[in-house]
Amino acid sequence: MTQPLLLASVSVRTDQVVRIGPLTLRIVSDVPDFPALHYFSRAARLPDSTAPDVELWCLSDAVPGLPADTTARARSLASGYYVTDHFGPPVRMSSSGNRIVLVGDHLQRLVWPYVVKYLLLRHTVTAGGLFLKAAAIAVGDGATLIVGRGGAGKSVLVSRLCQSGDATFITNSHVILAGGAVQGVASTMRMRPGPWLDQVGTASAAALDPSERLVDPYDAFPRHAGAAVPLRAVWIADFRAPGEHDVQQLTPDEAVSVAEQFAFGLAVYRLEEDLLDLCGGDYRAFAAQYGRMRAQLHAAVSSCPTYRVRSDVQLAANRDQLLHLLFDGGTS
């Protein structure tokens, strides 16, 4: 991908290719050690010679003559509205082919909260598959998705099950589901201070949210899955109180209802206007894509056992019972 004439004068201080699931992304910035890179695991970083699928330029200084996008997202960014509950100073967005240029201050607030999610959605529109907000772990040849509301204990659950190496780490946040198999995005984990953070036994860095720390799972856990793993089960994390352990299987209808609201990336991250723009503003094309994604979600969740997991996984006995469920393939 050649550098456009308008960007030739940019003083490049950060230039890194990273992998986000099935995609390779080149992140370029005029900011040294661009903080957005802290949200990608070291395992996601690729050699400079890697040909990227997409380029993202994050610039603090305006580029004269750079045209602004006319999409709904570009208009929102220009007004200072980012995505869901993220707000900030106005950002100028300019896209051409597989290159996206953002111009503004503190753009690290946009790369993970919006751009990565948008690119994963765009990939599923063009290549098929489904973008999900979910953690995922594996035992043997089967993957288990872990979904749930913020603060439900997903990160702690993943950490305690993967620390010993009994479970294989796939991802803590984003999943592409295609052909019945789960592929994760190699991100760092946002964890709140507590004993679970101390137990991961590795260094952590500051996150955008000052109440959280970033932990690289590829330093914290002994086993990791890079390739896609067949989906075998879905868990709904629902931690409530210390000492509890209650695992109940949900009906397919219950499982689908929860997944639609808490795992369906398009809905969770409010990307519906992005999808409409990807469909050229055609509502019928939007309806077809939305229908395909929703049907794929229903089929995936309905075809495997789903459990509500309300467990204090800090307790060894509880952790052992959950590992037994994983080794059983989620069937008992």
Side-chain angles (χ1 to χ4, degrees):
M1 192 179 292
T2 58
Q3 182 170 301
L5 182 62
L6 288 173
L7 298 177
S9 62
V10 172
S11 178
V12 174
R13 308 296 297 277
T14 296
D15 193 344
Q16 177 68 57
V17 180
V18 296
R19 179 173 296 284
I20 53 171
L23 299 173
T24 52
L25 170 66
R26 180 187 177 204
I27 299 178
V28 182
S29 178
D30 55 2
V31 175
D33 189 24
F34 185 43
L37 290 178
H38 300 168
Y39 277 78
F40 296 90
S41 166
R42 63 177 176 82
R45 301 194 180 200
L46 300 172
D48 294 342
S49 58
T50 305
D53 297 311
V54 189
E55 287 188 359
L56 172 66
W57 291 62
C58 295
L59 308 177
S60 57
D61 293 323
V63 178
L66 195 68
D69 286 4
T70 59
T71 61
R73 181 62 57 185
R75 293 194 298 271
S76 293
L77 294 180
S79 69
Y81 175 75
Y82 292 176
V83 61
T84 59
D85 58 350
H86 297 272
F87 294 83
V91 171
R92 185 179 181 88
M93 181 177 182
S94 179
S95 303
S96 177
N98 279 341
R99 181 181 291 111
I100 299 172
V101 180
L102 301 176
V103 180
D105 297 325
H106 307 294
L107 293 175
Q108 64 271 20
R109 298 174 180 170
L110 276 176
V111 175
W112 189 259
Y114 167 63
V115 177
V116 167
K117 299 166 177 60
Y118 167 75
L119 292 176
L120 293 173
L121 173 70
R122 188 172 78 172
H123 171 78
T124 61
V125 169
T126 57
L130 187 63
F131 164 43
L132 299 176
K133 177 184 185 289
I137 58 179
V139 167
D141 63 352
T144 295
L145 291 179
I146 302 175
V147 304
R149 68 189 304 174
K154 297 186 295 296
S155 294
V156 178
L157 187 58
V158 167
S159 298
R160 298 301 286 150
L161 293 173
C162 291
Q163 269 183 300
S164 64
D166 291 309
T168 297
F169 179 84
I170 298 177
T171 183
N172 189 60
S173 56
H174 293 348
V175 159
I176 293 293
L177 180 64
V182 170
Q183 183 174 9
V185 175
S187 67
T188 49
M189 300 172 64
R190 295 183 301 152
M191 300 188 73
R192 296 174 179 84
W196 45 85
L197 182 57
D198 299 333
Q199 289 162 356
V200 296
T202 188
S204 61
L208 295 179
D209 183 336
S211 69
E212 298 175 332
R213 302 291 295 177
L214 297 177
V215 173
D216 192 330
Y218 286 77
D219 293 329
F221 310 130
R223 297 173 58 190
H224 324 94
V229 182
L231 178 63
R232 292 287 183 267
V234 178
W235 288 6
I236 312 299
D238 188 29
F239 176 76
R240 297 295 182 90
E244 67 182 351
H245 181 77
D246 181 30
V247 178
Q248 295 187 10
Q249 188 165 0
L250 304 183
T251 68
D253 285 346
E254 290 172 332
V256 165
S257 295
V258 173
E260 277 195 350
Q261 296 302 314
F262 294 97
F264 194 16
L266 176 67
V268 174
Y269 295 119
R270 297 300 310 273
L271 298 172
E272 65 277 0
E273 294 216 43
D274 298 275
L275 178 59
L276 183 59
D277 279 327
L278 288 170
C279 293
D282 184 334
Y283 283 99
R284 297 186 74 176
F286 172 93
Q289 281 287 351
Y290 180 84
R292 176 192 64 79
M293 294 176 182
R294 189 165 176 267
Q296 187 174 355
L297 178 67
H298 283 217
V301 175
S302 300
S303 66
C304 59
T306 299
Y307 296 90
R308 189 211 66 192
V309 177
R310 185 176 290 172
S311 179
D312 182 357
V313 75
Q314 299 287 5
L315 300 179
N318 293 350
R319 185 171 66 253
D320 290 346
Q321 289 186 55
L322 294 179
L323 285 169
H324 177 73
L325 185 62
L326 285 172
F327 277 100
D328 257 3
T331 59
S332 64

